[in-house]
Amino acid sequence: MPSRRHLLVAAALAAAGAQAFAADSRPIRLVVPYPPGGPLDTIARALAERVKDSLGLVVVENRPGAGGNLGADIAARSAPDGHTIVMGAVATHAINPWLYARMPYDPIRDFTPITLVAQVPNVLVMNAQTAARLKIATLADLVAYARRNPGKLNYGSGGNGSAGHLAGEMFEASAGLFIVHIPYAGAAPAQLALLGGQVDFNFDNLAAASANIRSGRLKALAVTTARRSSVMPELPTAIEAGLPGFDISTWFGLFGPAGLPRETTLRLNKAFTDALATPELKARMATLMVEPAPTTPEQFAGFVKSELAKYRQVVKLSGAKID
């Protein structure tokens, strides 16, 4: 057991470290491993503005490349002093480690989880005319039709290994179906193909699909998250619609480099989770159909490990690989 003297010394060192971080006037670099303009980037910039009173200046730096791996690796290689953090995502910390033949970092060993920030519900949407022609009104109808007609239905995605592709693979495995996957060069072309009737259904981002759902051009059958969306609460979850355990979403959260001191981690966690609880930021996120999801560092660490384990099997089923 440590002596009282050792405990006092450890406490003094921790306090000194926290004071040094607080006194350091250098700005915090928040790396966004994707191009400007998307929901992740927008929320990162809104958070940077909200935490400036508690953390000082936070500068958002977009460093896209290699599916997010480039920006994540910058943070992993930075000094663990609290002045470089990254907005990691399901791709950088759960999908890419199984998708890429070579990774520049370990998603668990090389990072300190700070907090989950948000989850973006995905939704299974059909071309409305196709749904009417096939008399499909619910997810159960879709599953029943696919079982009666193996290989006759198809779905589009933004490419092999994309979130939409992996959701489709998980759907096929969960329901015991055979459905043809048609990859496109991005989510936007995949959505255009769905609207044009070239494919029967897609797993799309709820924010991207919402306008066409409301206009009646797309028929939404279920959200893919374990809980209903607060934006469209009328849509059932895939679990409620008959697929036990089906839970897949786009998420993003904050990480520091490995070895980030506990006091620094907790200080960053408090600043960002407090910001996520403000009415202003909640309203901003609602316009993007993004669900706030603040956690403790421990909860986030457990979540990342579970997501990494889940996507190992999903990526394997997909057969997707990037050399």
Side-chain angles (χ1 to χ4, degrees), residues 114-224:
I114 297 169
T115 181
L116 182 62
V117 170
Q119 291 182 299
V120 184
N122 296 324
V123 60
L124 195 165
V125 282
M126 288 195 75
N127 177 288
Q129 292 182 342
T130 302
R133 175 170 52 83
L134 300 179
K135 297 181 172 58
I136 294 174
T138 66
L139 183 60
D141 292 339
L142 177 64
V143 171
Y145 181 90
R147 283 178 177 161
R148 292 194 307 269
N149 301 277
K152 288 190 177 180
L153 288 177
N154 58 45
Y155 73 97
S157 80
N160 289 320
S162 66
H165 177 205
L166 297 181
E169 292 288 347
M170 191 171 173
F171 175 55
E172 287 188 75
S174 298
L177 306 175
F178 169 50
I179 302 169
V180 177
H181 169 233
I182 301 179
Y184 289 87
Q191 187 184 74
L192 288 174
L194 179 63
L195 291 168
Q198 283 85 49
V199 295
D200 300 317
F201 69 91
N202 285 0
F203 288 88
D204 206 352
N205 181 288
L206 183 58
S210 60
N212 288 308
I213 293 171
R214 288 176 171 142
S215 72
R217 297 181 70 191
L218 295 179
K219 182 169 183 60
L221 299 184
V223 292
T224 64

Side-chain angles (χ1 to χ4, degrees), residues 2-323:
S3 68
R4 183 172 180 273
R5 180 174 178 273
H6 286 152
L7 291 172
L8 289 173
V9 169
L13 289 173
Q19 289 169 1
F21 177 72
D24 193 331
S25 60
R26 288 180 297 153
I28 294 173
R29 177 171 62 157
L30 172 50
V31 179
V32 171
Y34 300 102
L40 187 152
D41 176 68
T42 301
I43 298 304
R45 293 177 185 281
L47 278 171
E49 180 65 23
R50 296 298 308 177
V51 300
K52 63 183 180 182
D53 289 341
S54 56
L55 296 178
L57 180 63
V58 177
V59 178
V60 175
E61 182 179 322
N62 296 90
R63 296 296 296 270
N69 291 348
L70 177 61
D73 188 47
I74 288 171
R77 294 175 182 273
S78 296
D81 56 11
H83 287 279
T84 299
I85 57 178
V86 65
M87 187 74 89
V90 61
T92 59
H93 282 74
I95 296 175
N96 290 357
W98 311 119
L99 186 62
Y100 282 76
R102 291 177 295 277
M103 286 289 290
Y105 57 82
D106 184 288
I108 304 298
R109 188 181 61 241
D110 293 339
F111 296 89
T112 300
I114 297 169
T115 181
L116 182 62
V117 170
Q119 291 182 299
V120 184
N122 296 324
V123 60
L124 195 165
V125 282
M126 288 195 75
N127 177 288
Q129 292 182 342
T130 302
R133 175 170 52 83
L134 300 179
K135 297 181 172 58
I136 294 174
T138 66
L139 183 60
D141 292 339
L142 177 64
V143 171
Y145 181 90
R147 283 178 177 161
R148 292 194 307 269
N149 301 277
K152 288 190 177 180
L153 288 177
N154 58 45
Y155 73 97
S157 80
N160 289 320
S162 66
H165 177 205
L166 297 181
E169 292 288 347
M170 191 171 173
F171 175 55
E172 287 188 75
S174 298
L177 306 175
F178 169 50
I179 302 169
V180 177
H181 169 233
I182 301 179
Y184 289 87
Q191 187 184 74
L192 288 174
L194 179 63
L195 291 168
Q198 283 85 49
V199 295
D200 300 317
F201 69 91
N202 285 0
F203 288 88
D204 206 352
N205 181 288
L206 183 58
S210 60
N212 288 308
I213 293 171
R214 288 176 171 142
S215 72
R217 297 181 70 191
L218 295 179
K219 182 169 183 60
L221 299 184
V223 292
T224 64
T225 42
R227 292 183 296 179
R228 293 193 180 203
S229 166
S230 61
V231 180
M232 289 188 176
E234 70 277 10
L235 295 179
T237 67
I239 295 172
E240 292 171 333
L243 294 179
F246 194 95
D247 180 14
I248 190 167
S249 68
T250 300
W251 56 262
F252 47 93
L254 293 165
F255 298 84
L260 196 66
R262 175 70 175 166
E263 295 74 21
T264 303
T265 302
L266 292 177
R267 185 170 185 264
L268 291 167
N269 176 274
K270 177 171 172 48
F272 285 107
T273 57
D274 284 353
L276 287 167
T278 60
E280 296 83 2
L281 197 55
K282 284 183 176 180
R284 181 74 180 103
M285 295 174 82
T287 64
L288 300 170
M289 298 193 178
V290 174
E291 307 272 359
T295 63
T296 65
E298 292 76 19
Q299 289 169 335
F300 189 31
F303 175 76
V304 172
K305 287 179 181 177
S306 68
E307 288 285 284
L308 184 64
K310 176 172 73 179
Y311 280 102
R312 179 178 189 174
Q313 183 62 24
V314 177
V315 173
K316 183 178 179 181
L317 283 171
S318 76
K321 203 72 179 173
I322 297 176
D323 292 325

